[in-house]
Amino acid sequence: MKDKSDQRPQALWERLLPAWVPVVVVLLSVAGSLFTWHNNAAAERAHQDYVRREQRYAALVSSLQGFHVAGSSEDRAKFLEQLNLCWLYCSDPVIRAAYHFLGTVQAGAASNEGDRQQAMGELVGAITRDLLSRQPVGETSLSPTEFKILKPQ
């Protein structure tokens, strides 16, 4: 039989540890849940941004037919409208390529059919690169003076 003098007193941490283990487990679970929720919300926002850009680009490309020989002014107006909306969600290279393309097809432009086809190819290439990168659009280097309200010709 052991007497009381053989028993050492328990350290404070030894007495408190069993009470704190469940609290630490709950706190870690909550922190892990918040981290997962935040990452899922960020991924959903990035996906929604991608879908918006994809829809905008699809409308922009489909409205390019207005610049062919048999294209109508309605189709050209649709392209210009889609380009204005691109300022909300689209990347800078796409917007700049679209304005470059418009510069080659506007009345009085000193460009030939090859220049126009090249500019159209650069626009579609910029769109493709942007979509394939799957990078969200962050900051812009576009300036307010680059935004133009153009009328179909």
Side-chain angles (χ1 to χ4, degrees):
M1 198 169 171
K2 296 182 179 180
D3 64 12
K4 292 182 179 180
S5 63
D6 288 343
Q7 292 180 351
R8 65 177 180 84
Q10 283 185 321
L12 180 61
W13 69 271
E14 289 175 328
R15 290 191 313 253
L16 294 178
L17 184 63
W20 282 98
V21 168
V23 172
V24 170
V25 168
V26 167
L27 290 175
L28 288 175
S29 297
V30 168
S33 297
L34 287 173
F35 178 76
T36 302
W37 171 79
H38 179 268
N39 285 346
N40 285 339
E44 180 62 25
R45 281 191 305 273
H47 177 70
Q48 288 172 353
D49 176 58
Y50 180 82
V51 168
R52 276 192 301 267
R53 282 188 296 160
E54 186 177 40
Q55 291 169 344
R56 185 70 53 226
Y57 291 153
L60 195 65
V61 169
S62 70
S63 64
L64 278 173
Q65 66 186 351
F67 294 97
H68 292 289
V69 174
S72 69
S73 63
E74 289 177 4
D75 290 332
R76 288 188 289 274
K78 182 180 174 191
F79 179 85
L80 295 174
E81 177 185 346
Q82 293 302 321
L83 178 57
N84 288 340
L85 293 173
C86 277
W87 276 75
L88 298 175
Y89 302 113
C90 302
S91 68
D92 295 354
V94 171
I95 293 170
R96 287 190 175 113
Y99 279 124
H100 175 69
F101 167 71
L102 285 174
T104 63
V105 296
Q106 70 185 11
S111 62
N112 59 32
E113 185 62 27
D115 294 337
R116 290 188 286 275
Q117 288 296 323
Q118 175 73 26
M120 186 183 297
E122 289 172 3
L123 171 59
V124 174
I127 289 171
T128 303
R129 282 187 296 279
D130 185 42
L131 287 177
L132 290 177
S133 74
R134 296 196 68 94
Q135 295 296 316
V137 176
E139 295 181 14
T140 183
S141 63
L142 294 170
S143 68
T145 58
E146 291 179 88
F147 183 77
K148 299 172 185 132
I149 300 291
L150 301 171
K151 295 182 181 175
Q153 300 168 355

